[in-house]
Amino acid sequence: MLNLERLRTLDALARHGSVSGAAEGLHITTSAVSQQMSKLEREVGQQLLAKNGRGVRLTDAGRLLAEHAARILSQVELAQSDLEAQRGQVAGELRVAAFPTAARGLFPAALRDLRERHPALRVRSREQEPEQGIRGVVRGDLDLAVVLDWHNKPMPLPDGLVKAPLLDDPADVALPAGHRFAGRDEVDLADFAGDEWITWGEGEFCHEWLMFTLRSKGIEPIIGHRAAESHTQLGLVAAGLGVCIAPLLGRDPLPDGVATVPLKQRVRRHVFVVWRADADRRPSIRAAVQALRAAGESVGATSESPTAASAAS
């Protein structure tokens, strides 16, 4: 009989494409991955891995078995979800991730609420950018991820994921307190055509959104500095090094020397949580979504839609 943990290792290899990636996703050593694969090859009597330069690749037999492993593991997930739902207990382990400002603005309240209400549930959290969070949920490395898109640039979601809105997060422009526009009631993005922007890392979803939005207004942005973390961006603004977009979630306290001004064309991030459809019935998923929505309401923003996905109801 095929060993489920060894099939899980094979599935991780197929999804991550390397022994080191599979080890990281499974939170085990690369040696453990190699040992599991050696045992699985002996079980099936066929070679599943072949050397590929300095790495490995799946053989034809390996790819065939990996396809079956993915379906088997999905059925196991469904069975676990059904058993959890029948038992009705919020227990076990839940692995969650959020982009940095959501981790700071939502996780403290939501995870405290889960610990107080459901002491048998063990939550493990991490910060990850939205694209990484979505990939983690698809691969099975995460149970939930808090992600975002913008009012004019949706985040594409792979098939097989469920989402529920948490809040709409308004964003202002943050600028040095001595900036010529610091005292205005509102500004237009076009007002900053000659300013240096402090933005996210190249290729990140929020950076691409900013480039798309500015260019759609005929502005070729001047990028002065890049920083993944919003408070680092605000620190650079405080030093007079440029301006940045400053969403409300996780923003406070503002550093001394920084002013924020609303935009005439209101800019909002849509913050939502995603999970796999085959885990939809898990009570722990439902409890976590409810805790995250309550945390979102506490920051003063409102959900985009009064109707969440099925697990939030």
Side-chain angles (χ1 to χ4, degrees):
M1 179 168 302
L2 294 172
N3 179 280
L4 187 61
E5 287 309 310
R6 290 165 198 157
L7 290 179
R8 199 180 302 279
T9 303
L10 175 63
D11 177 66
L13 267 169
R15 289 186 284 104
H16 291 276
S18 69
V19 171
S20 59
E24 183 179 354
L26 294 170
H27 306 290
I28 60 177
T29 65
T30 54
S31 176
V33 170
S34 298
Q35 291 173 17
Q36 290 280 56
M37 290 305 302
S38 295
K39 291 177 181 177
L40 185 58
E41 286 182 326
R42 288 197 296 271
E43 281 181 353
V44 300
Q46 295 190 62
Q47 184 179 2
L48 303 176
L49 295 179
K51 289 186 177 180
N52 184 28
R54 299 177 65 181
V56 297
R57 62 174 176 82
L58 294 178
T59 63
D60 290 345
R63 286 194 295 271
L64 177 63
L65 186 56
E67 292 173 3
H68 284 288
R71 290 193 291 270
I72 291 166
L73 293 170
S74 179
Q75 286 300 119
V76 170
E77 181 79 45
L78 282 169
Q80 291 173 334
S81 296
D82 285 345
L83 286 171
E84 272 193 42
Q86 186 183 53
R87 188 170 61 241
Q89 292 181 332
V90 179
E93 182 174 273
L94 194 69
R95 301 157 299 168
V96 301
F99 58 94
T101 51
R104 184 168 58 247
L106 298 178
F107 272 4
L111 301 190
R112 182 182 62 232
D113 180 53
L114 285 172
R115 173 173 288 187
E116 291 174 352
R117 292 176 179 269
H118 309 290
L121 178 67
R122 185 172 64 255
V123 181
R124 298 287 178 259
S125 70
R126 67 182 77 165
E127 282 188 1
Q128 282 191 327
E129 292 300 325
E131 302 96 324
Q132 295 174 310
I134 288 172
R135 287 196 296 270
V137 173
V138 170
R139 291 195 304 256
D141 301 335
L142 295 169
D143 298 302
L144 287 172
V146 178
V147 300
L148 64 89
D149 59 20
W150 294 84
H151 68 291
N152 60 339
K153 191 173 178 64
M155 169 71 78
L157 288 181
D159 292 338
L161 296 188
V162 180
K163 75 174 185 177
L166 298 178
L167 58 97
D168 278 359
D169 185 29
D172 303 322
V173 175
L175 36 79
H179 193 280
R180 64 192 183 280
F181 297 145
R184 286 195 178 184
D185 292 332
E186 58 183 15
V187 291
D188 192 292
L189 283 173
D191 295 335
F192 300 94
D195 286 83
E196 288 192 11
W197 282 93
I198 299 162
T199 181
W200 299 266
E202 188 168 4
E204 290 187 14
F205 183 74
C206 288
H207 170 78
E208 296 304 317
W209 164 80
L210 182 61
M211 299 300 99
F212 167 80
T213 302
L214 291 172
R215 287 169 179 158
S216 70
K217 294 180 174 294
I219 303 167
E220 185 54 39
I222 304 169
I223 305 302
H225 305 277
R226 299 179 187 276
E229 219 286 331
S230 63
H231 273 208
T232 304
Q233 295 183 9
L234 292 171
L236 295 169
V237 172
L241 298 174
V243 300
C244 74
I245 295 294
L248 176 63
L249 181 64
R251 182 171 77 190
D252 292 333
L254 283 174
D256 292 338
V258 175
T260 58
V261 181
L263 285 157
K264 291 178 183 177
Q265 299 84 17
R266 295 293 182 249
V267 172
R268 289 181 177 270
R269 301 189 299 184
H270 306 314
V271 181
F272 52 99
V273 59
V274 299
W275 63 95
R276 295 185 305 280
D278 56 17
D280 194 48
R281 290 186 282 259
R282 289 176 57 187
S284 57
I285 295 285
R286 295 170 180 262
V289 172
Q290 290 169 357
L292 286 165
R293 298 195 76 193
E297 291 172 1
S298 73
V299 302
T302 57
S303 167
E304 178 186 24
S305 167
T307 304
S310 60
S313 60

